[in-house]
């Protein structure tokens, strides 16, 4: 997040605040910026007790981690002004930290790489950074550190993600939404965890996030694991369904109560070989869930599909739906059904791709709104779900 001085000046050269964003939200982000830059020492003259600025340290990190780079690529990755970067590289060369040469591919392009001196300098910077962050975290318990890392991941996913509005980025394999649940009557042994990947290639910037360096800014390739619910997970499903649907659709507590009844029925009466639930995990935190429950001896029902808003775009919705299809098929059902509404348009696209078709649609007043209730079905003896 960019540094913010907190100045109250509102002269003509400063753009007005976005009228669609609450002033309290803007103030909270600015306050966090001021606090965070102080904690990590970004306002000091030199980073980590050295003469290097934060930008200079970041350039050293790029060259140390990914090797020689064309200047134009370095400028693009770090979003730096060409003249500013040129002056930094000139200083680096004067200190024998880098060497320059012409590109073998295009002589008009310049390539820079660290010298032995430059690599030694970066090694010392990285060591100091590890020590500083270790001292920052040491007073806190492992549980608090886990909460901190999870909170940082949420901030990163929201502000640095490719799809801040919730629309999956182009090129991704799957569309994800906070899916539907199934109002109405309720109703194979657990298998190995399922792993889903986004399908996006790992870039050098992605790899940087796995190095442990504080200079890394991008996220690694996103991996999502499906597992059986553990203690507290069913309560999380109820709470998150209520919160997400209230915020995104304005649904009343009637919906949360419905989810609570569905989950309670599963816990009290489910048959392990005919019914199952999954929790989707990303970076060690739950980000989605779905239940497969018995409607009749021949029909299973997909229920309470949910994907956290911050985890959309990772293919979680399709992965959860396909897990239900595979389980219901193996359990001997001939059909998989679900109930949704016309409000769940993104989830409907997932269902359509998975082979579900509309069999019934009725206007209903539910959760404080006039909705079209939709029953979708998919035969389990036909072609497999689209992956």
């Amino acid at each position: 997040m960019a540094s913010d001085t907190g100045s109250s000046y509102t002269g003509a050269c400063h753009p007005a605040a976005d009228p669609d964003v609450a002033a309290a939200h803007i103030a909270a982000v600015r306050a966090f910026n001021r606090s965070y830059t102080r904690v990590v020492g970004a306002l000091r003259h030199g980073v980590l007790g050295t003469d290097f600025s934060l930008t200079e340290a970041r350039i050293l990190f790029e060259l140390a981690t990914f090797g020689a780079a064309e200047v134009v690529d370095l400028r693009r990755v770090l979003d730096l002004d060409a003249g500013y970067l040129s002056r930094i590289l000139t200083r680096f060369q004067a200190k024998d930290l880098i060497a320059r040469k012409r590109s073998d591919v295009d002589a008009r392009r310049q390539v820079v790489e660290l010298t032995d001196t430059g690599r030694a300098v970066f090694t010392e910077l990285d060591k100091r950074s590890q020590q500083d962050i270790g001292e920052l975290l040491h007073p806190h318990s492992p549980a608090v550190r886990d909460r901190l890392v999870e909170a940082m991941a949420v901030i990163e996913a929201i502000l640095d993600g490719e799809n801040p509005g919730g629309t999956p980025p182009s090129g991704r394999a799957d569309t994800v939404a906070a899916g539907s649940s199934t109002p109405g009557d309720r109703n194979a042994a657990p298998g190995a965890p399922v792993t889903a990947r986004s399908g996006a290639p790992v870039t050098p910037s992605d790899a940087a996030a796995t190095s442990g360096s504080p200079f890394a800014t991008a996220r690694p390739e996103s991996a999502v694991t499906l597992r059986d619910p553990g203690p507290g997970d069913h309560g999380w499903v109820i709470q998150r369904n209520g919160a997400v649907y209230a915020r995104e659709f304005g649904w009343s507590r009637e919906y949360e109560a419905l989810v609570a009844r569905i989950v309670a029925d599963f816990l009290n009466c489910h048959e392990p070989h005919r019914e199952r639930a999954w929790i989707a995990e990303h970076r060690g935190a739950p980000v989605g869930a779905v239940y497969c429950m018995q409607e009749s001896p021949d029909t299973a029902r997909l229920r309470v599909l949910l994907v956290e808003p911050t985890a959309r775009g990772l293919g979680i919705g399709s992965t959860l739906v396909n897990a239900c299809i595979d389980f219901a098929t193996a359990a001997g059902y001939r059909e998989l059904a679900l109930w949704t509404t016309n409000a769940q348009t993104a989830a409907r696209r997932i269902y359509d791709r998975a082979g579900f078709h509309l069999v019934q649609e009725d206007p209903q007043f539910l959760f404080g709104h006039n909705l079209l209730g939709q029953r979708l079905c998919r035969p389990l003896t036909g072609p497999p779900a689209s992956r």
Side-chain angles (χ1 to χ4, degrees), residues 33-295:
N33 282 348
R34 293 192 294 270
S35 175
Y36 178 73
T37 51
R38 175 185 57 78
V39 169
V40 300
L43 300 179
R44 301 171 192 160
H45 173 69
V47 67
L48 300 170
T50 71
D51 292 331
F52 295 104
S53 68
L54 186 60
T55 301
E56 291 171 331
R58 186 70 173 88
I59 293 171
L60 290 174
F61 167 80
E62 286 290 328
L63 295 175
T65 304
F66 308 119
E70 291 189 359
V71 174
V72 65
D73 291 335
L74 198 61
R75 177 166 57 87
R76 176 180 51 79
V77 168
L78 299 180
D79 193 23
L80 295 176
D81 174 76
Y84 180 44
L85 176 60
S86 178
R87 291 191 293 273
I88 291 176
L89 294 179
T90 297
R91 289 197 296 272
F92 280 4
Q93 189 171 22
K95 295 180 179 180
D96 191 32
L97 300 180
I98 65 167
R100 306 195 203 205
K101 64 179 181 180
R102 292 294 174 183
S103 168
D104 295 334
V105 178
D106 186 344
R108 295 170 299 177
R109 293 175 176 262
Q110 191 177 71
V111 175
V112 294
E113 62 181 340
L114 290 183
T115 62
D116 290 341
T117 300
R119 282 188 286 272
V121 167
F122 173 76
T123 298
E124 179 61 26
L125 276 172
D126 201 43
K127 178 181 177 181
R128 291 189 186 188
S129 179
Q130 293 282 356
Q131 292 173 342
D132 274 14
I133 299 302
E135 291 173 2
L136 180 66
L137 297 178
H138 179 75
H140 304 286
S141 68
V144 170
R145 295 172 203 160
D146 286 341
R147 287 178 54 209
L148 174 65
V149 171
E150 291 172 5
M152 292 169 67
V154 171
I155 292 173
E156 185 180 23
I158 292 173
L159 297 184
D160 295 340
E162 298 177 42
N163 55 332
T167 302
S170 61
R172 292 289 177 97
D174 293 311
T175 302
V176 179
S180 70
S181 63
T182 49
D185 55 336
R186 80 156 210 99
N187 338 74
V194 178
T195 299
R197 291 195 176 271
S198 67
V202 179
T203 66
S205 296
D206 293 328
T210 66
S211 70
S213 171
F215 307 125
T217 58
R219 295 191 302 277
E221 183 186 18
S222 300
V224 177
T225 300
L226 301 191
R227 61 168 175 80
D228 293 327
D233 282 331
H234 295 286
W236 174 84
V237 170
I238 297 169
Q239 186 272 327
R240 292 308 298 155
N241 265 277
V244 169
Y245 277 83
R247 181 175 64 249
E248 298 195 348
F249 299 103
W251 286 9
S252 69
R253 286 180 293 181
E254 177 189 355
Y255 175 69
E256 187 172 353
L258 168 68
V259 176
R261 290 195 298 272
I262 293 171
V263 172
D265 285 345
F266 179 85
L267 288 171
N268 292 329
C269 309
H270 89 280
E271 302 176 25
H273 297 287
R274 298 278 282 171
E275 299 180 316
R276 190 178 175 190
W278 294 265
I279 298 293
E281 263 195 1
H282 177 52
R283 292 180 173 178
V287 292
V290 74
Y291 291 68
C292 184
M293 301 172 68
Q294 177 173 299
E295 177 177 285

Side-chain angles (χ1 to χ4, degrees), residues 274 294-300 331-335:
R274 298 278 282 171
Q294 177 173 299
E295 177 177 285
S296 72
D298 290 332
T299 302
Y333 292 106
R334 297 181 60 83
E335 182 181 60

Side-chain angles (χ1 to χ4, degrees), residues 353-375:
R353 285 202 309 274
F356 287 87
H357 59 277
L358 180 67
V359 296
Q360 185 178 350
E361 187 174 59
D362 299 303
Q364 301 177 41
F365 184 79
L366 294 169
F367 322 127
H369 297 269
N370 290 309
L371 300 168
L372 283 177
Q374 299 173 334
R375 179 178 172 87

